[in-house]
Amino acid sequence: MRDLFEFSIDEIDLYNLDKEIFIANIIPEFNAKYFPPNLLKNIKFQGELLEKEMYFSIMRKYNPDISEDSISTEFLGQVVQGGFYSINGIDLPNGTINFENIYSKENSIFNNTRIESPYKDIVEEKEIQHFDGDLQIVRPKKKKVLSNLYLYCFNVGQGDSLLVITPTGSVYIIDTNYYSRKSVENFIENVKDILTSHGLPSTKIKALIITHKHVDHLRGASILLNKAVFDIEYFLINHDYKHDLKSVKMLLEAAKSIPNWININKPGLFMDGGVKFEIVNPDYDTSSNQVAPDMNDSSISIQILNGDDTIYLTGDTGHEYLYHKFSPHKGNADTVLKVSHHGSRTGTNDKMLSRLNPNYAFISAGNSKKYKHPHKEVVDKLEKRIGKANLDISKSLKFRRLYISTGGGISRTSW
């Protein structure tokens, strides 16, 4: 029997809608620095253990008509996103956590076991530049060195990892999900090869953008930064949303090597030559724990406008936010949608798809049997709208996907 079971809660989602069973993705305390999926665990529980605000934030994504007045549940607030828990093995049946159990008020392991996280935010306010809605990270009149804009979508399992190269030669890494020494090294070599193939310096990166602080969007980033291979100019993250996990602390410590930090906590834009990056989320309704109980909804979501082409990068933001914040495509050219939340039904619905009207869609999802991403109904909606041939699901591909935007049309290829 172990003396202590200690873990942090990274993400919370719905597991079974009919029975209102939720699932918490937990990160146990261990010495491994890559947070590989096989070492993470999941705990299932009844919704009554949640905070009321989190319960309704998640449930409204599956049932938009749910009313607080119709629910008489007493919410206990024991299961908290970002919470750190320390449980004495002697207090557990058989001295261990049963990961097959569905925990409820009667058998909760979360009651009075949450303690202060040892991974409190270590970044000082003075280290962060506040986003005023208009970034100047690229010289306004920087000349083109490439004819096209390139979106590289990596196959990283249950997570996201993108690379954007603009016609000015600026390079943006958006999220990482690498959980072994080999996968980090492969990513480094892939990026260097890509940049070299475009005639660009192989190690110069304009910005690292972390859309939000869940582990499947930043895994391996700290190792990448500590290797000091890339010269990264800017670090963009929503710092207002607190998530006191070891994975986040490691990232923030490693990111101190990046000279310019920008706190993306409101909408705005920046120009990269003739390419416009419009940051539509987070905003005042989603930027912090206080206003957005589910951190997915705080994701940095960007629409990239290159001539008549539009690329929608969603993070894991919910469809109800994306519908109102993304602008509908107005050009005669093409659009690419990076499908939100790995193809979960929480990130895509018919209303949003009708507004954005994508030509191509890319879903980054792994083989996790717990979340069953992408959800079949999302795949069906996308195939009906854009055709099966224009939908790419990373776990179904033996290659990675590249989208090439000319400003007057988008093509795609494998690489």
Side-chain angles (χ1 to χ4, degrees):
M1 182 182 72
R2 286 169 52 183
D3 293 333
L4 283 177
F5 290 85
E6 294 189 322
F7 58 85
S8 300
I9 294 181
D10 183 43
E11 185 171 6
I12 299 170
D13 204 348
L14 190 62
Y15 181 75
N16 185 305
L17 176 60
D18 294 334
K19 297 181 179 180
E20 292 193 11
I21 299 171
F22 291 77
I23 188 168
N25 184 30
I26 70 167
I27 302 179
E29 285 293 282
F30 51 65
N31 293 324
K33 57 185 178 181
Y34 288 98
F35 305 98
N38 63 302
L39 293 185
L40 307 190
K41 299 293 184 180
N42 292 274
I43 298 178
K44 295 183 283 293
F45 60 93
Q46 296 289 345
E48 63 186 356
L49 299 186
L50 286 169
E51 298 170 298
K52 178 180 178 180
E53 293 79 11
M54 176 62 94
Y55 172 87
F56 282 103
S57 178
I58 294 174
M59 287 297 294
R60 286 193 181 102
K61 296 176 182 180
Y62 295 88
N63 178 13
D65 298 324
I66 191 170
S67 166
E68 293 189 21
D69 295 334
S70 66
I71 303 295
S72 59
T73 302
E74 177 188 357
F75 294 99
L76 301 178
Q78 296 177 6
V79 180
V80 178
Q81 175 188 252
F84 185 86
Y85 294 80
S86 181
I87 304 173
N88 197 320
I90 200 170
D91 296 327
L92 295 168
N94 301 317
T96 189
I97 295 175
N98 185 344
F99 292 102
E100 300 303 316
N101 266 0
I102 298 173
Y103 290 97
S104 64
K105 180 179 180 179
E106 286 69 30
N107 65 345
S108 175
I109 61 173
F110 300 97
N111 188 26
N112 294 320
T113 57
R114 182 185 172 204
I115 63 174
E116 184 175 4
S117 172
Y119 306 115
K120 283 290 186 182
D121 198 328
I122 44 78
V123 179
E124 295 183 16
E125 188 73 13
K126 64 183 180 182
E127 297 176 318
I128 304 169
Q129 299 178 38
H130 290 281
F131 181 40
D132 62 5
D134 186 13
L135 279 176
Q136 295 292 335
I137 67 175
V138 179
R139 294 196 312 273
K141 296 184 179 179
K142 188 176 181 183
K143 294 182 179 180
K144 284 187 176 183
V145 297
L146 301 172
S147 300
N148 305 311
L149 180 145
Y150 301 87
L151 170 64
Y152 288 85
C153 301
F154 293 83
N155 192 335
V156 293
Q158 189 71 17
D160 277 5
S161 182
L162 308 172
L163 186 78
V164 174
I165 304 176
T166 68
T168 67
S170 298
V171 182
Y172 302 85
I173 295 174
I174 304 176
D175 287 344
T176 63
N177 188 46
Y178 301 98
Y179 37 85
S180 69
R181 179 179 59 83
K182 182 178 180 180
S183 64
V184 172
E185 291 176 351
N186 286 344
F187 175 70
I188 290 171
E189 291 307 310
N190 282 331
V191 171
K192 291 171 69 176
D193 289 345
I194 289 168
L195 300 189
T196 300
S197 73
H198 289 291
L200 300 173
S202 65
T203 59
K204 190 168 181 59
I205 307 295
K206 177 59 66 175
L208 169 64
I209 302 173
I210 299 296
T211 60
H212 61 297
K213 296 175 180 176
H214 282 150
V215 71
D216 58 333
H217 291 256
L218 56 79
R219 196 187 258 123
S222 62
I223 311 301
L224 174 71
L225 293 171
N226 286 332
K227 286 182 176 293
V229 173
F230 295 116
D231 175 17
I232 303 175
E233 212 174 326
Y234 288 88
F235 177 46
L236 276 59
I237 192 169
N238 175 11
H239 197 68
D240 284 6
Y241 208 105
K242 303 303 179 184
H243 199 55
D244 295 326
L245 271 65
K246 182 179 181 180
S247 53
V248 177
K249 185 174 182 179
M250 287 175 59
L251 167 66
L252 298 179
E253 286 277 15
K256 287 186 174 183
S257 62
I258 303 175
N260 304 293
W261 287 33
I262 309 293
N263 181 19
I264 303 297
N265 61 357
K266 65 181 70 169
L269 62 86
F270 63 92
M271 298 296 299
D272 186 315
V275 176
K276 182 186 289 186
F277 286 70
E278 293 186 350
I279 299 171
V280 302
N281 195 65
D283 62 11
Y284 297 110
D285 293 327
T286 58
S287 63
S288 69
N289 311 62
Q290 289 70 38
V291 293
D294 182 358
M295 185 165 59
N296 286 319
D297 295 326
S298 76
S299 295
I300 296 174
S301 302
I302 306 170
Q303 56 187 27
I304 302 176
L305 307 177
N306 180 40
D308 287 332
D309 300 336
T310 304
I311 297 174
Y312 298 105
L313 304 181
T314 59
D316 283 354
T317 306
H319 56 67
E320 71 273 27
Y321 293 107
L322 296 176
Y323 171 78
H324 292 290
K325 295 178 181 182
F326 275 142
S327 301
H329 178 62
K330 296 179 181 178
N332 295 318
D334 294 332
T335 62
V336 175
L337 171 66
K338 198 293 293 183
V339 178
S340 182
H341 203 187
H342 321 295
S344 168
R345 62 177 66 92
T346 65
T348 305
N349 65 359
D350 283 322
K351 188 177 179 181
M352 189 200 81
L353 290 176
S354 295
R355 180 174 173 83
L356 302 187
N357 194 26
N359 300 96
Y360 300 104
F362 179 82
I363 298 175
S364 185
N367 293 307
S368 171
K369 296 179 180 179
K370 296 179 285 290
Y371 295 108
K372 300 180 177 66
H373 290 158
H375 289 149
K376 183 179 183 302
E377 65 199 70
V378 172
V379 173
D380 290 346
K381 292 178 192 299
L382 286 164
E383 289 183 349
K384 181 179 179 181
R385 178 165 293 276
I386 67 175
K388 186 174 183 178
N390 293 326
L391 170 63
D392 292 313
I393 303 172
S394 64
K395 69 179 180 180
S396 303
L397 302 175
K398 294 182 180 179
F399 45 81
R400 296 149 296 189
R401 184 59 80 193
L402 165 62
Y403 298 91
I404 304 171
S405 165
T406 66
I410 295 175
S411 60
R412 62 178 183 155
T413 185
S414 57
W415 59 282

